[in-house]
Amino acid sequence: MASLDSPAILLNPIDDVAAARRKIRPGEFTGIDDIIACEIIPRGHKVALRAIPAGGEVRKFGQVIGRATQDILPGQHVHLQNLAVVESQHEHRFSVDIEAKGMIPPEDCRTFMGYDRGAGGVGTRNFIGILTTVNCSATVSKYIADHFNRSGGLDGFDNVDGVVALTHGGGCAISMKTEGYLYLTRVIQGYARHPNFGGILMIGLGCETNQIAPILEHYKLEESNRFRTMTIQQLGGTRKTIEAASEMIREMLPSVNAVKRTRQPLSGLKVALECGGSDGYSGITANPALGHASDLIVRNGGTSCLAETPEIYGAEHLLTRRATTPEVAEKLLGRIDWWRDYTARNGAELNNNPSHGNKAGGLTTILEKSLGAVAKGGSMPLRAVYEYAEIIRERGFVFMDTPGYDPVAVTGQIAGGCNVVCFTTGRGSVSGYKPAPCIKIATNTDMYDHMQEDMDLNAGTIATGDESIEQVGARIFERIIAVASGEKSLSESYDYGDNEFVPWQVGAVT
Amino acid sequence: MASLDSPAILLNPIDDVAAARRKIRPGEFTGIDDIIACEIIPRGHKVALRAIPAGGEVRKFGQVIGRATQDILPGQHVHLQNLAVVESQHEHRFSVDIEAKGMIPPEDCRTFMGYDRGAGGVGTRNFIGILTTVNCSATVSKYIADHFNRSGGLDGFDNVDGVVALTHGGGCAISMKTEGYLYLTRVIQGYARHPNFGGILMIGLGCETNQIAPILEHYKLEESNRFRTMTIQQLGGTRKTIEAASEMIREMLPSVNAVKRTRQPLSGLKVALECGGSDGYSGITANPALGHASDLIVRNGGTSCLAETPEIYGAEHLLTRRATTPEVAEKLLGRIDWWRDYTARNGAELNNNPSHGNKAGGLTTILEKSLGAVAKGGSMPLRAVYEYAEIIRERGFVFMDTPGYDPVAVTGQIAGGCNVVCFTTGRGSVSGYKPAPCIKIATNTDMYDHMQEDMDLNAGTIATGDESIEQVGARIFERIIAVASGEKSLSESYDYGDNEFVPWQVGAVT
Ligand SMILES: [Ca+2]
Ligand SMILES: [Ca+2]
Ligand SMILES: [Ca+2]
Ligand SMILES: [Ca+2]
Ligand SMILES: [Ca+2]
């Protein structure tokens, strides 16, 4: 492997390409073997380390990331013009890497300060949530939240983090027989149960397809002083609904405010792992560092949840090896089959996921991106695979089937019970996901410097040779515990999270 | 036909059923022929006027709305338990009802007070719009709008109706080859051109699939002092983007504020026709009344736009007869074919559209609902059929292909240029659609009384025998002109319209 300050980084000794630490100019030595760049290699992009004939496999991370579409010479830029994805044809071996290494004895495990909700889990925040069945109750719900957040309605209730209205564009003109309806109701019930809420109001219009009553019945939710429901049509319109709802929240506030943080084992933590706006550094800095933090969470008795199925596509064989049972592995492969069908019937492709920004950052193929994405999941055994927005009941490292699209993915993870979000980004995503805090981890120092007010942590130090993956991983782990205990993340300081609730819409809107 | 105060209303002499004006009790005379109700007929529901054998056709509005699924006796309640949809098999005759009756000479046409935007059309409002390419720029955009609307940033600019941030849940992880991408970009460009905006800011994150540059290029939009674009990643994060955007809006404000309303011909009006939360009265009160108002708009040189393809399904033969050319008719039938495929490949059905609320209100089949929905479109010739969010260029009565779901349908119509929305509702929808004002028309007096603060007009007077369809239609027409000229509708008085922008999401999110 090249030294920590060479122009290019070799990630694995068998690799055919190296990643440029900075822009490399034609004629410049890459720092690896005797390879001289023969054209510009942009920062984060790949340089060929040997001649690769057209059709030949190209390796990065020690794995095949695609095939050459034309002859490639040593020192050439390897990207869209000469590299393309190959269909996944890896040998699937189930449950061969399932040793839970480094588990910490319970008495030595770390703790955090959380809100004990009994059987409902442990909260890292204490919000009042307004859930909406349909877009038609969005505006009323926003007004109710505004009434408390902006007009002094929370004065004297310092222990309440705010009232958040989670609105969306769906809820009617959908078939109740479809996955779309299933996913929407699962998301709503998951949020209704989330331990970061001290109280919940569920508001419908009244005549929508997505009725309140079937949600309560199917998911066994019961109304109480802290869980109320209503419809605008029953109450007689906008003003009357706002008044009735505000009165209900006023009634909830004293008891919601009375809950105090107490010392809790890390088994109360469920960490959502997410990446957005990835670049060529994601897979070599922030994602492996987050993977290390994920391992620390799991070793301390907590749960971490990888997601974004299209982003792990092509690297699923690394996860099925880690599945604790063949059933867990089969469930993962079953979801990947579902995705093949879902994308095919919608005229999309599973292998076109690298976005405009990803490509500009140097990622060429979905396989390359997938290997980098899976790195967020660390090395612990995979204990369960969940469908979108299913409640996460297993402890340890788990996977949830979601799209890669950030707001949809995180909405599913939070519905599953995640109470902290860790979000790596190379291009610089800005977002938050109430009621869970979100920690942003920059993959490179240039972006970190440029967008420092939005980036909680910089993993770019791994690329500059200033820190190891383990050091950055340990910093992420400590920040997770601090934020879970009440320290505000940067996106919380901007009060992000009122607009990023996006339940996965699957199927037709009629 | 029965008298205006009989318990049931007969809509057409050949009908097999009548609609209950109020709840009719067992043993009660319906007021039609010698028919006595033999069970409870809820308000708005249908009572059989003759014996119908299982399999027999059932007529309402003089049209077949379905077939009996069991023998039906005179006086019985006709609804889900004994009536089901039949596949559409009407004879399609094109362009036979295309006489434009009652067109008013230009010199006698009505006018309104609007904002002249030259080639951009005529505005009925004067907003500054913040358009977003992706969910990732939603929160920043909301903050910029809040900065002006809530912090005195518009003081001294009384001629500006507000700054509105139109945010959504999509914009990334979609294939650029799909209809979903096409529809999203069409909506964004349509809003960017909308005459109700005096100025536009378009804000992206930076790395999303839905890039700003291709939108500008494909739709030939050019940046100017009143049309600016930016990305959060380029500007360096949340705070810097809010500051830069706020400065741009401050620069726009004086010129946006300087525009004055002037007298304009009705050719500057494009009225979106919409219904939501329909009931058994929709098709017999508010919708035909709106149809009359639509005819008055067209006769005065304006444009009215029917939409909601699934809601006219089964009654398309009434529209194709009115198509001014066979091409217009073929385009409508082509969209209906598209819908058959779209719903089939998504496990949905075109005939399952009546919502829970619709059924509770007495609508049994999609055909029955469709005939009532088409009534909004009045009687004038159909001059054009548009795909979702296409710019409306023809004047007169036109159709746009949209879902029935209110926010998605109206978003498409406004993208097409509609500058007033007329919305009929039986169950009581509450909504608004910035930058266009929305006029709510209640189908029945009970709901109007119950939700009076949200309902601009009551068409229930048609059912109670106090007004004719023409009288209510004339009231709607006058209200359209008043609201177009600046009078606030009720949903505007509540400041609705910040949460109902929902571009149609078609296809897979990956
Ligand atoms: Ca990602
Ligand atoms: Ca993502
Ligand atoms: Ca306002
Ligand atoms: Ca409707
Ligand atoms: Ca509708």
Side-chain angles (χ1 to χ4, degrees):
Chain A
M1 201 169 284
S3 76
L4 278 172
D5 54 359
S6 63
I9 312 174
L10 183 67
L11 293 162
N12 189 294
I14 69 166
D15 284 358
D16 304 305
V17 295
R21 203 187 285 280
R22 54 169 175 76
K23 181 172 164 181
I24 305 176
R25 291 173 195 290
E28 196 178 343
F29 177 49
T30 62
I32 298 167
D33 300 340
D34 55 353
I35 305 298
I36 307 287
C38 55
E39 54 192 337
I40 290 175
I41 315 296
R43 186 181 66 124
H45 285 233
K46 295 176 290 297
V47 58
L49 301 177
R50 64 172 182 86
I52 308 164
E57 291 180 340
V58 177
R59 282 181 175 71
K60 184 182 169 187
F61 306 104
Q63 307 278 340
V64 175
I65 60 167
R67 285 180 191 277
T69 54
Q70 50 181 261
D71 292 342
I72 300 174
L73 297 174
Q76 275 193 325
H77 181 206
V78 178
H79 201 24
L80 303 165
Q81 76 284 5
N82 55 15
L83 175 64
V85 77
V86 285
E87 266 301 298
S88 172
Q89 51 200 185
H90 303 281
E91 183 199 355
H92 284 288
R93 293 184 60 205
F94 291 174
S95 310
V96 292
D97 297 334
I98 57 170
E99 193 192 342
K101 289 177 189 137
M103 292 301 289
I104 297 168
E107 64 274 19
D108 297 334
C109 280
R110 295 288 298 274
T111 58
F112 76 109
M113 299 300 290
Y115 296 101
D116 188 351
R117 311 280 190 200
V122 183
T124 63
R125 293 294 180 270
N126 191 33
F127 280 97
I128 289 173
I130 304 176
L131 301 178
T132 52
T133 54
V134 64
N135 180 261
C136 310
S137 57
T139 293
V140 158
S141 299
K142 290 287 188 194
Y143 284 153
I144 298 162
D146 280 357
H147 174 77
F148 287 92
N149 298 328
R150 304 192 195 230
S151 308
L154 296 176
D155 289 354
F157 302 105
D158 295 346
N159 215 18
V160 177
D161 287 306
V163 177
V164 55
L166 296 167
T167 66
H168 56 91
C172 203
I174 49 172
S175 165
M176 292 176 70
K177 293 176 224 156
T178 59
E179 285 157 327
Y181 173 73
L182 177 65
Y183 290 175
L184 178 59
T185 56
R186 257 198 215 144
V187 164
I188 291 171
Q189 68 100 24
Y191 274 71
R193 294 180 192 285
H194 200 283
N196 282 13
F197 287 123
I200 290 281
L201 226 61
M202 193 181 288
I203 305 184
L205 172 61
C207 62
E208 63 272 24
T209 309
N210 184 30
Q211 291 282 299
I212 292 174
I215 299 177
L216 305 196
E217 194 183 321
H218 183 77
Y219 295 103
K220 299 186 172 50
L221 288 165
E222 279 185 18
E223 293 202 58
S224 69
N225 287 343
R226 302 233 218 129
F227 177 55
R228 309 288 296 265
T229 73
M230 70 191 69
T231 71
I232 296 168
Q233 288 172 346
Q234 190 184 17
L235 285 166
T238 302
R239 182 186 57 79
K240 291 172 191 166
T241 305
I242 293 172
E243 286 180 5
S246 299
E247 181 54 33
M248 286 182 193
I249 291 178
R250 271 191 291 275
E251 286 169 17
M252 283 180 194
L253 272 171
S255 65
V256 176
N257 188 63
V259 185
K260 300 281 179 247
R261 287 188 188 269
T262 53
R263 191 159 296 282
Q264 298 291 332
L266 282 211
S267 58
L269 271 194
K270 295 180 184 173
V271 179
L273 309 171
E274 173 69 22
C275 60
S278 301
D279 69 357
Y281 284 116
S282 299
I284 60 182
T285 62
N287 287 358
L290 180 54
H292 184 70
S294 167
D295 286 352
L296 293 175
I297 291 285
V298 171
R299 286 175 179 139
N300 279 276
T303 297
S304 73
C305 177
L306 187 68
E308 308 181 281
T309 314
E311 308 217 5
I312 63 116
Y313 179 68
E316 63 271 17
H317 58 293
L318 298 180
L319 286 171
T320 52
R321 293 174 66 94
R322 289 159 58 185
T324 50
T325 68
E327 290 70 30
V328 169
E330 297 280 12
K331 189 164 178 188
L332 179 64
L333 298 182
R335 293 317 298 167
I336 286 173
D337 283 345
W338 181 91
W339 270 91
R340 286 204 186 91
D341 177 62
Y342 170 62
T343 48
R345 72 177 186 260
N346 283 288
E349 292 174 353
L350 256 187
N351 66 0
N352 74 347
N353 196 251
S355 68
H356 177 93
N358 296 145
K359 289 172 186 162
L363 288 176
T364 311
T365 71
I366 185 69
L367 299 181
E368 181 182 9
K369 190 171 166 185
S370 296
L371 288 163
V374 168
K376 293 193 300 293
S379 62
M380 301 300 281
L382 176 67
R383 301 195 57 88
V385 169
Y386 294 100
E387 289 187 25
Y388 186 72
E390 282 185 327
I391 302 284
I392 297 169
R393 300 190 191 281
E394 281 290 328
R395 213 173 293 159
F397 173 62
V398 303
F399 181 84
M400 180 180 283
D401 176 34
T402 74
Y405 184 43
D406 309 333
V408 175
V410 180
T411 295
Q413 290 170 300
I414 292 175
C418 288
N419 48 15
V420 173
V421 180
C422 287
F423 190 121
T424 67
T425 178
R427 305 273 296 174
S429 289
V430 296
S431 58
Y433 303 92
K434 290 180 184 174
C438 177
I439 299 167
K440 290 289 188 326
I441 304 156
T443 70
N444 67 84
T445 300
D446 282 359
M447 189 279 284
Y448 176 78
D449 289 343
H450 184 53
M451 298 186 67
Q452 212 174 116
E453 297 171 338
D454 293 274
M455 297 294 129
D456 294 277
L457 294 165
N458 180 21
T461 50
I462 295 165
T464 53
D466 295 307
E467 280 186 298
S468 67
I469 286 172
E470 290 71 22
Q471 285 172 315
V472 176
R475 281 202 289 130
I476 296 171
F477 177 69
E478 293 302 330
R479 189 64 64 97
I480 291 171
I481 290 180
V483 167
S485 301
E487 193 176 288
K488 275 199 189 327
S489 70
L490 288 177
S491 78
E492 284 182 290
S493 72
Y494 281 124
D495 203 28
Y496 268 95
D498 291 292
N499 304 290
E500 292 86 353
F501 174 76
V502 186
W504 192 4
Q505 183 203 306
V506 178
V509 174
T510 57
Chain B
M1 202 168 285
S3 75
L4 276 173
D5 54 359
S6 64
I9 312 173
L10 183 66
L11 293 162
N12 189 295
I14 69 166
D15 285 356
D16 303 304
V17 295
R21 203 186 286 280
R22 55 169 174 78
K23 181 173 165 181
I24 305 177
R25 293 175 193 287
E28 196 178 343
F29 176 48
T30 62
I32 298 167
D33 298 340
D34 56 353
I35 305 298
I36 306 289
C38 54
E39 53 193 337
I40 289 175
I41 314 297
R43 188 181 65 126
H45 285 234
K46 294 176 291 298
V47 57
L49 300 176
R50 63 172 183 88
I52 308 164
E57 292 179 340
V58 177
R59 281 180 175 72
K60 184 181 169 187
F61 305 105
Q63 306 280 340
V64 175
I65 60 167
R67 285 181 190 275
T69 55
Q70 49 182 262
D71 292 342
I72 299 175
L73 298 175
Q76 275 193 326
H77 181 206
V78 177
H79 201 25
L80 303 165
Q81 76 284 4
N82 54 16
L83 175 65
V85 77
V86 285
E87 265 302 297
S88 173
Q89 50 202 183
H90 304 281
E91 182 198 354
H92 284 287
R93 295 184 59 206
F94 290 173
S95 310
V96 291
D97 297 335
I98 56 170
E99 193 193 341
K101 288 176 190 138
M103 291 302 288
I104 297 169
E107 63 275 19
D108 297 334
C109 281
R110 295 286 298 275
T111 58
F112 75 109
M113 298 300 290
Y115 296 101
D116 188 350
R117 312 279 190 200
V122 183
T124 63
R125 293 293 180 270
N126 190 33
F127 280 97
I128 289 174
I130 304 176
L131 301 178
T132 53
T133 54
V134 65
N135 179 261
C136 310
S137 56
T139 293
V140 158
S141 300
K142 289 287 187 192
Y143 284 151
I144 298 161
D146 279 357
H147 173 78
F148 287 91
N149 298 330
R150 304 191 196 231
S151 307
L154 295 177
D155 289 354
F157 300 105
D158 295 346
N159 216 17
V160 177
D161 287 307
V163 178
V164 55
L166 296 168
T167 66
H168 56 89
C172 202
I174 49 173
S175 165
M176 293 176 67
K177 294 176 223 154
T178 60
E179 285 158 325
Y181 173 75
L182 177 66
Y183 289 175
L184 178 60
T185 56
R186 258 199 216 144
V187 165
I188 291 171
Q189 70 99 26
Y191 274 71
R193 293 180 193 284
H194 199 284
N196 282 11
F197 287 123
I200 290 280
L201 227 61
M202 194 181 288
I203 305 184
L205 173 62
C207 61
E208 63 272 23
T209 309
N210 184 30
Q211 291 283 298
I212 291 174
I215 298 176
L216 304 195
E217 194 183 320
H218 183 78
Y219 295 103
K220 299 186 173 51
L221 288 165
E222 277 185 21
E223 293 202 56
S224 69
N225 288 343
R226 301 235 216 128
F227 177 55
R228 309 288 296 265
T229 72
M230 69 190 70
T231 71
I232 296 167
Q233 288 173 347
Q234 189 184 16
L235 285 165
T238 303
R239 183 186 55 81
K240 291 172 192 166
T241 306
I242 294 172
E243 285 179 5
S246 299
E247 182 54 32
M248 286 182 193
I249 291 178
R250 270 191 293 275
E251 286 169 18
M252 282 180 195
L253 272 171
S255 65
V256 176
N257 188 62
V259 186
K260 300 280 181 246
R261 288 187 188 269
T262 53
R263 192 159 297 280
Q264 299 292 330
L266 282 210
S267 58
L269 270 194
K270 295 181 183 173
V271 179
L273 310 170
E274 173 69 22
C275 60
S278 301
D279 68 358
Y281 284 115
S282 299
I284 60 182
T285 62
N287 287 358
L290 181 54
H292 184 70
S294 167
D295 286 352
L296 293 175
I297 291 286
V298 172
R299 287 176 179 140
N300 279 277
T303 297
S304 73
C305 177
L306 187 68
E308 308 181 280
T309 315
E311 309 218 4
I312 63 116
Y313 179 68
E316 63 271 17
H317 59 293
L318 298 181
L319 285 172
T320 51
R321 292 174 68 94
R322 289 160 58 187
T324 50
T325 68
E327 290 70 29
V328 170
E330 297 281 10
K331 189 165 177 187
L332 179 65
L333 297 182
R335 293 318 297 167
I336 286 173
D337 284 344
W338 181 92
W339 270 92
R340 287 204 185 91
D341 176 62
Y342 170 62
T343 48
R345 73 177 186 261
N346 283 288
E349 293 174 352
L350 255 186
N351 65 1
N352 74 347
N353 195 253
S355 69
H356 176 92
N358 296 145
K359 288 173 188 163
L363 287 177
T364 311
T365 71
I366 185 67
L367 299 180
E368 181 182 9
K369 192 171 165 185
S370 296
L371 287 164
V374 168
K376 294 192 299 292
S379 61
M380 300 301 280
L382 176 67
R383 301 194 57 87
V385 169
Y386 294 100
E387 288 187 27
Y388 187 71
E390 281 185 328
I391 302 283
I392 297 168
R393 300 193 192 279
E394 282 291 328
R395 213 173 294 159
F397 174 62
V398 302
F399 182 83
M400 180 180 283
D401 176 34
T402 73
Y405 184 43
D406 309 333
V408 174
V410 180
T411 296
Q413 290 169 299
I414 293 175
C418 288
N419 49 14
V420 173
V421 180
C422 287
F423 191 122
T424 66
T425 178
R427 305 274 296 175
S429 289
V430 295
S431 57
Y433 304 91
K434 289 180 185 173
C438 177
I439 299 167
K440 291 289 188 324
I441 304 156
T443 68
N444 68 84
T445 299
D446 282 359
M447 188 276 284
Y448 176 77
D449 288 343
H450 184 53
M451 298 186 64
Q452 211 173 119
E453 295 170 339
D454 293 274
M455 297 295 129
D456 294 277
L457 295 165
N458 180 21
T461 49
I462 295 165
T464 53
D466 294 307
E467 279 186 298
S468 68
I469 285 172
E470 290 71 21
Q471 285 172 315
V472 176
R475 281 202 288 132
I476 297 171
F477 176 68
E478 293 302 330
R479 188 64 64 97
I480 291 170
I481 290 180
V483 166
S485 300
E487 192 177 290
K488 275 198 190 325
S489 70
L490 288 177
S491 78
E492 285 182 290
S493 72
Y494 281 125
D495 204 25
Y496 267 95
D498 291 292
N499 304 290
E500 291 87 353
F501 174 75
V502 185
W504 192 4
Q505 182 204 306
V506 179
V509 174
T510 57

